[in-house]
């Protein structure tokens, strides 16, 4: 499988926030101007990694806030204390999080996913935080789904926990 990552570079060939696809010795740059174009991204991943992307989700800031709030929040281990602008890009209503395990609402989850300024590896660390947010959302959704399926099947899952 290809490794898709964000790369911070200062060379003339790569620009900050370029996304690269690496498959063995092959490397291709998918710039931030190309990445929103589903067809081009799918083609590049198919050529370099034989990855067939059938489904994808594209969300904006408001969707992240609404989704996390709709599922009752997510639990995340925040790796560093920081303050970040809110979803309206307003620093007057900053979102401040402390390091450690905590339940985040939508605004807090978005702030954690967006923040990079004080992180040691900048955009790379932000990408890791974004993965934490996605994993936490999936965990909540799967937990709810398993509960619903168990209830439908008449199985008491508490004895399996």
């Amino acid at each position: 499988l290809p490794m898709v990552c964000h790369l911070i570079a200062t060379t003339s060939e790569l620009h900050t926030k370029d996304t690269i696809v690496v498959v063995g010795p092959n490397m291709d740059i998918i710039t931030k101007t190309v990445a929103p174009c589903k067809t081009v991204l799918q083609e590049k991943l198919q050529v370099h990694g034989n990855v067939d992307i059938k489904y994808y989700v594209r969300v904006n800031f408001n969707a992240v806030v609404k989704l996390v709030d709709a599922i009752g929040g997510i639990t995340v281990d925040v790796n560093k204390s920081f303050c970040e602008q809110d979803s309206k890009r307003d620093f007057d209503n900053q979102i401040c999080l402390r390091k450690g395990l905590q339940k985040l609402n939508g605004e807090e989850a978005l702030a954690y996913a967006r923040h990079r300024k004080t992180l040691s590896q900048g955009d790379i660390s932000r990408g890791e935080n974004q993965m934490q947010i996605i994993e936490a959302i999936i965990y909540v959704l799967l937990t709810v789904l398993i509960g619903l399926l168990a209830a439908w099947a008449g199985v008491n899952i508490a004895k399996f926990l």
Side-chain angles (χ1 to χ4, degrees):
L1 289 174
M3 180 175 79
V4 179
C5 62
H6 290 285
L7 176 68
I8 307 263
T10 56
T11 68
S12 60
E13 295 174 7
L14 297 174
H15 305 284
T16 58
K17 298 185 188 175
D18 277 347
T19 300
I20 62 170
V21 178
V22 180
V23 182
N26 300 322
M27 179 175 84
D28 196 12
I29 300 169
I30 304 171
T31 64
K32 61 184 178 180
T33 58
V34 174
C37 182
K38 173 188 92 136
T39 305
V40 174
L41 180 59
Q42 284 176 315
E43 288 173 6
K44 286 185 180 286
L45 288 173
Q46 178 66 38
V47 167
H48 291 287
N50 199 24
V51 176
D52 185 18
I53 299 176
K54 294 186 186 313
Y55 309 101
Y56 72 99
V57 175
R58 183 175 169 193
V59 298
N60 62 20
F61 290 161
N62 292 331
V64 172
V65 172
K66 288 178 182 177
L67 174 59
V68 172
D69 286 342
I71 62 175
I74 56 174
T75 301
V76 174
D77 191 4
V78 175
N79 55 27
K80 184 177 184 175
S81 297
F82 69 92
C83 291
E84 182 62 62
Q85 60 192 336
D86 69 6
S87 62
K88 295 173 182 67
R89 299 180 184 255
D90 184 0
F91 277 104
D92 291 334
N93 295 313
Q94 290 186 68
I95 308 296
C96 295
L97 298 176
R98 293 186 188 179
K99 180 179 179 174
L101 190 65
Q102 56 203 281
K103 189 165 186 176
L104 304 180
N105 65 29
E107 283 285 342
E108 293 165 336
L110 179 62
Y112 188 59
R114 292 178 68 189
H115 184 72
R116 72 173 189 275
K117 300 279 188 207
T118 65
L119 301 176
S120 61
Q121 294 184 318
D123 204 44
I124 292 170
S125 296
R126 177 173 62 177
E128 293 168 353
N129 292 350
Q130 290 169 351
M131 285 188 282
Q132 274 187 280
I133 296 295
I134 292 167
E135 289 169 359
I137 291 169
I138 291 170
Y139 177 82
V140 171
L141 294 174
L142 286 177
T143 302
V144 170
L145 179 61
I146 290 168
L148 290 172
L149 290 173
W152 174 78
V155 175
N156 180 1
I157 64 170
K159 66 181 180 182
F160 298 106
L161 301 177

